[in-house]
Amino acid sequence: MPDFDLLVVGGGPGGYVAAIRAAQRGLRVGLVEKERPGGVCLNWGCIPTKAMLRSAEIFQTLATAADFGVYADNLRYDFAAVRQRKDGIVKQLTDGVASLLAANGVTVIEGHARFTGPTGVEVFEAGRSPIFPGGPRYAAAPTATATRTISAKDVIIATGSVPARLPIPGADLPGVITSDGAFGLTEVPARLVVIGGSAVGAEWASLFASFGSQVTIVEMQDTLVPLEDDDVGAALGRSFTKRGITVLTGSTVESIAQTDVLRVSVAGEHARELDADVVLVGVGRRPNTADLGLDIAGISTDARGFIPVDEQLRTGVQHVYAIGDVTGRALLAHVASHQGLTAADVIAGHPAHIDYTVIPAATFTHPEIAGVGFTEAKARAAGHDVVTVRFPFAALGRAQTFGDTEGFVKIVAGRRHREVLGVHIIGPSASDLITEGALAISLEATLDELADTIHAHPTLGEIGMEAALAGLGLPVHIAPRKR
Ligand SMILES: Cc1cc2nc3c(=O)[nH]c(=O)nc-3n(C[C@H](O)[C@H](O)[C@H](O)COP(=O)(O)OP(=O)(O)OC[C@H]3O[C@@H](n4cnc5c(N)ncnc54)[C@H](O)[C@@H]3O)c2cc1C
């Protein structure tokens, strides 16, 4: 008899959620993890960045406290304390995941798993990190001798992703770091160049700018956060510029050289040389399949190394499933978790499949960004006949009381039936407000239905209703368009 009904390899938001669901469905579940439970999201991604961004936000708010009639003198921050707070939150949450796994009866096995065949792995003690002494991140190849072998009826691969390497001269110089390396910074860099203006790069740029770094962000596409609606990306670029961040869109970094500082050569629309103390590479992720033995299990990958799966998360090999970043579908924690729930249900014999139609995503810059559904450009490219409407936060009472009036919501809707196709927000609490947009698209709601839903006053949430009213040509709190 196999050791487990299900073995999950990797304990990130994909793997630990799958393990819990499978155990609740009555399976005997094992989970192998070479670092701490929680994966990138809890240890190196979603949570630690948001903890530090919150410190940055408080510092920035206090800097303008006088606008609220509140006086904060001698304002300063202690970056060590900022990091310590972040570490405390990470520990609390990762310990929480470990407790939940135990409470659900999941057997956690520490170490690096490598396939011995489709439904068997050997487990090695994971190597140690050259970057963070004592920490296992970027663990070298596992030690030579396996500590144990494990068999299971089914296996889920949930090994996630790691930062991509930038193939340019100077990318391996000291001072050139990835997002993971940024957590090792003990001081706020005086001059920071961020390569890549997607969510990860934009969040670090926003954070260090708040703490006083002189930040330049270089993005190849025409706008920052290029996966978002163009209007949102353009608005973020303007906002960053107003905050003193130098935004170089339509540009690429060609090389980095070590002089007395790091000399960064930028080509394209804003070609120039930049001096930096730290260069943060926030460009792309690659699947974390090193030393996993995919070939031994017969599992194939696409050209970029990600594992293709069907809508029930099956790989091409019977009894082997893959979920999360390693599938390359949408590199987001909540997508990994939903894939995990689906795979666990399928393995436990429940009819389930994953539907990717509605995936909200948020970027926790200042101002915050969130989007769901079609951008205007993608809706038009897909052949939809659309109307779009924008409503500014400045017209909301609640935003005025917050003292945070920057930004807008943009709704993309079908012209004929007024069904909501996309919602895009830049401004306060965008990441929380997007849920109404996700639900609207899920339920195929129309502008009329959004407008007819009574929203509490005064709230930031009123923005969806107000935008819908404007989209119907019946705006209440902004002037009507001239006919
Ligand atoms: C800076 C940053 C900020 C982010 N912010 C957000 C955000 O705000 N919202 C959001 O939705 N997403 C965010 N993400 C993305 C999110 O972190 C990932 O999408 C998510 O963690 C993927 O989950 P996963 O379970 O697929 O893999 P991971 O979280 O990568 O977990 C994989 C786990 O597998 C383990 N593992 C790998 N190989 C082996 C092996 N051979 N044996 C044993 N264990 C192994 C690893 O140690 C790791 O713990 C962010 C990412 C970064 C880098």
Side-chain angles (χ1 to χ4, degrees), residues 42 47-48 50-52 54 82-95:
L42 269 66
I47 298 300
K50 276 41 152 196
M52 291 172 76
R54 176 75 177 136
V82 170
R83 297 175 70 229
Q84 211 174 0
R85 174 177 180 273
K86 175 265 294 176
D87 289 343
I89 293 166
V90 168
K91 178 158 180 4
Q92 191 178 351
L93 291 177
T94 52
D95 285 354

Side-chain angles (χ1 to χ4, degrees), residues 393-405 428 456-462:
F393 277 99
L396 285 185
R398 186 62 170 156
Q400 292 288 348
T401 64
F402 261 35
D404 198 350
T405 53
H457 177 76
T459 60
L460 295 173
E462 285 173 288

Side-chain angles (χ1 to χ4, degrees), residues 10 13-14 33-34 39-41 50 113 158 160 179 288 324-325 331-334:
E33 169 55 60
K34 64 180 172 141
V40 167
C41 181
K50 276 41 152 196
S179 174
N288 191 6
D325 281 11
L331 274 52
L332 291 165
H334 40 287

Side-chain angles (χ1 to χ4, degrees), residues 9-15 32-36 38-41 44-46 49-50 111-114 137 158-161 179-180 183 200 203-204 285 288 290-292 323-326 330-334 336 362 364:
V9 181
V32 193
E33 169 55 60
K34 64 180 172 141
E35 301 184 4
R36 271 196 299 191
V40 167
C41 181
W44 307 96
C46 328
T49 48
K50 276 41 152 196
H112 179 116
R114 184 160 68 199
R137 192 69 185 156
T159 51
S161 66
S179 174
D180 291 353
F183 290 111
V200 169
E203 285 185 1
W204 282 114
R285 310 274 302 171
N288 191 6
D291 286 314
L292 185 56
I323 59 173
D325 281 11
V326 78
L331 274 52
L332 291 165
H334 40 287
F364 296 76

Side-chain angles (χ1 to χ4, degrees), residues 256-294:
I256 307 163
Q258 181 78 66
T259 58
D260 49 334
V261 291
L262 290 167
R263 177 72 41 88
V264 182
S265 294
V266 179
E269 214 173 296
H270 300 282
R272 67 189 65 184
E273 300 269 298
L274 299 164
D275 285 349
D277 304 296
V278 171
V279 177
L280 196 162
V281 181
V283 181
R285 310 274 302 171
R286 63 191 163 87
N288 191 6
T289 51
D291 286 314
L292 185 56
L294 288 181

Side-chain angles (χ1 to χ4, degrees), residues 288-308:
N288 191 6
T289 51
D291 286 314
L292 185 56
L294 288 181
D295 48 337
I296 298 166
I299 296 155
S300 41
T301 56
D302 66 16
R304 296 177 308 150
F306 291 100
I307 303 174

